[in-house]
Amino acid sequence: MQNLTILGSTGSVGCSTLDVVRRNLDRYKVFALSGFKNVELLARQIVEFNPDIAVVGGEKDLVRLKTLLPVRHSCELFCGKDALVDIAQAEKADIVMAAIVGAAGLEPSLAAAKAGKKLLLANKESLVTSGQLFMAAVKHSDALLLPIDSEHNAIFQCLPNQFDISDSSQGIRSIVLTASGGPFRAWTMEQITNASREQALAHPNWSMGAKITIDSATLMNKGLELIEACWLFSVCPDQVEVVVHPQSIIHSMVRYRDGSILAQMGAPDMKIPISYGLGWPERIDSGASALDFLSLSSLTFEAPDEIRFPCVRLAREAFSAGGTAGSVLNAANEVAVDAFLNGKIGFTKIAYVNELILNQIPVSTLDSIETVLEFDALARSQAERAVSRIAGELS
């Protein structure tokens, strides 16, 4: 029996993780859960899974959570960033699912890495903002890092055991990241400019949280995944291809020198990569539907249009710039996406704000987590000013 901490248990990945746990209660005991504002769902999860510890965002959330739980319960309740770090590095935690969305997940994810945990990384921002520091921590602590993003998990499954990009005998030529193209793949630039919140949130294949769904619509999600792939697999951006695959059946591929291509296929269901990470090196029941080949009409591929969707290019530029550029791009994007979701800016202004802030803030050496947080705060401040200016022009 392995003890599991889920950082972000009330989000889409967290809920899917608990779905897999339900099917494998003989293997996993939920040790700790964390939610942010959705205390009602967290309370239901606590009642069902009886964790030792649960963490919420703030004092008001903690008070609310206490009122929702039975009078007699054994779960210890805490709030705040320090408590997240504590459950991530707790000695009793064998596995940590890092599923907090955005830069907020960086510190607890890094704590789990430093503690040498089996770390299931769904929080791509940890590598986007501090890849060098994060991978150094994994190596130093001998943590087991398993990617949970469907694309990176697919790549992991297609690579040789003991993968080493510098080992020419393994014959790896490139990595291919697939993208659905989002809801606006076939839209004109004029249509995209006038896209509404509801249209942007209508992803054709995946069921995800609002922030990740908007990132998919702008293709920033694929840009962040490009950066994540570079750190995870020690490759350069020119070794990572991005291909739009609207059906979301092939989740990613690896090209080999002999002309072979290995692809991982499956239904678009996050329970598949989650179960792979939880069970690795074994395979366990995920509860996902089996892929029916006879129901597939076609599998199509196309190049991403970086004129209509410039965020992949911005991510490539940020990785090449190095240092604090990834942290700056990620912070600007989080501010811009939030502004769009709240009706302050139009859809195409997300990429505009991202590029503006990325070019506005000089790149600095990334030497500590404090530097990451400093440039994250700086980028957020400047992005918020840019959003206010754009909103003023619209009013």
Side-chain angles (χ1 to χ4, degrees):
M1 183 72 71
Q2 294 179 291
N3 286 325
L4 172 65
T5 287
I6 304 177
L7 303 171
S9 67
T10 58
S12 60
V13 171
C15 289
S16 293
T17 302
L18 289 173
D19 283 344
V20 176
V21 170
R22 283 188 189 96
R23 292 176 169 270
N24 296 275
L25 292 173
D26 58 326
R27 290 174 174 264
Y28 307 106
K29 161 72 170 69
V30 176
F31 165 68
L33 297 173
S34 83
F36 185 54
K37 294 293 184 182
N38 194 348
V39 292
E40 289 79 8
L41 176 55
L42 183 60
R44 294 196 296 272
Q45 291 175 345
I46 291 169
V47 170
E48 178 178 358
F49 292 97
N50 192 30
D52 293 11
I53 303 171
V55 177
V56 290
E59 291 285 353
K60 290 183 179 178
D61 305 309
L62 185 61
V63 171
R64 172 67 176 153
L65 180 60
K66 288 178 179 177
T67 67
L68 294 171
L69 291 173
V71 175
R72 296 183 181 277
H73 67 85
S74 59
C75 182
E76 294 186 83
L77 306 177
F78 300 94
C79 66
K81 293 181 179 179
D82 290 346
L84 287 175
V85 170
D86 288 342
I87 61 171
Q89 64 187 10
E91 186 176 350
K92 284 185 68 174
D94 302 305
I95 306 172
V96 176
M97 167 60 79
I100 296 175
V101 175
L106 170 59
E107 291 182 85
S109 299
L110 185 58
K114 288 180 176 179
K117 301 299 182 183
K118 178 179 178 180
L119 176 56
L120 312 185
L121 189 65
N123 172 263
K124 62 178 66 67
E125 291 83 1
S126 293
L127 290 175
V128 170
T129 61
S130 60
Q132 183 177 349
L133 296 173
F134 201 94
M135 296 308 291
V138 169
K139 184 176 181 179
H140 179 75
S141 68
D142 202 27
L144 174 59
L145 179 62
L146 296 171
I148 298 302
D149 265 349
S150 62
E151 296 80 3
H152 303 89
N153 189 272
I155 292 164
F156 185 85
Q157 295 190 49
C158 293
L159 288 170
N161 291 332
Q162 306 301 318
F163 162 70
D164 181 357
I165 193 67
S166 65
D167 182 357
S168 60
S169 69
Q170 294 184 343
I172 297 159
R173 177 162 288 169
S174 66
I175 283 168
V176 184
L177 288 174
T178 58
S180 70
F184 306 142
R185 178 181 62 86
W187 286 31
T188 65
M189 193 68 214
E190 182 180 1
Q191 289 174 311
I192 294 171
T193 300
N194 297 313
S196 69
R197 180 184 189 275
E198 291 69 26
Q199 289 170 324
L201 288 171
H203 195 282
N205 301 330
W206 293 93
S207 176
M208 305 177 289
K211 195 269 182 183
I212 298 174
T213 303
I214 300 302
D215 281 348
S216 180
T218 63
L219 262 65
M220 177 54 86
N221 200 41
K222 210 51 50 182
L224 299 180
E225 287 170 5
L226 184 150
I227 296 175
E228 183 181 9
C230 289
W231 287 116
L232 280 170
F233 306 116
S234 300
V235 295
C236 302
D238 60 5
Q239 293 173 290
V240 182
E241 305 172 53
V242 175
V243 175
V244 174
H245 169 49
Q247 295 80 22
S248 298
I249 297 299
I250 295 177
H251 298 295
S252 276
M253 298 173 271
V254 177
R255 289 185 188 271
Y256 286 86
R257 186 188 303 135
D258 62 2
S260 299
I261 299 175
L262 297 188
Q264 189 270 340
M265 306 173 69
D269 189 331
M270 281 304 297
K271 291 195 291 290
I272 296 173
I274 289 167
S275 67
Y276 183 85
L278 281 171
W280 190 89
E282 300 177 50
R283 292 187 184 260
I284 62 174
D285 182 16
S286 70
S289 300
L291 183 62
D292 179 7
F293 284 98
L294 299 182
S295 70
L296 300 177
S297 58
S298 64
L299 299 178
T300 60
F301 306 90
E302 60 194 63
D305 184 340
E306 295 190 5
I307 302 299
R308 289 181 300 145
F309 304 102
C311 287
V312 174
R313 170 180 59 81
L314 296 178
R316 196 179 294 114
E317 291 173 1
F319 184 83
S320 297
T324 53
S327 183
V328 166
L329 178 61
N330 180 74
N333 184 63
E334 289 190 15
V335 171
V337 169
D338 183 71
F340 170 71
L341 287 170
N342 285 287
K344 296 178 182 178
I345 63 173
F347 181 79
T348 56
K349 293 299 183 182
I350 297 173
Y352 170 81
V353 170
N354 291 344
E355 186 159 19
L356 177 70
I357 304 307
L358 182 62
N359 292 331
Q360 199 167 279
I361 298 178
V363 177
S364 182
T365 302
L366 186 61
D367 53 8
S368 67
I369 187 66
E370 288 74 24
T371 301
V372 175
L373 298 176
E374 175 189 348
F375 276 80
D376 177 88
L378 176 62
R380 287 176 191 277
S381 175
Q382 295 198 17
E384 285 165 0
R385 283 200 291 271
V387 164
S388 295
R389 177 177 56 78
I390 295 167
E393 292 171 355
L394 292 174
S395 62

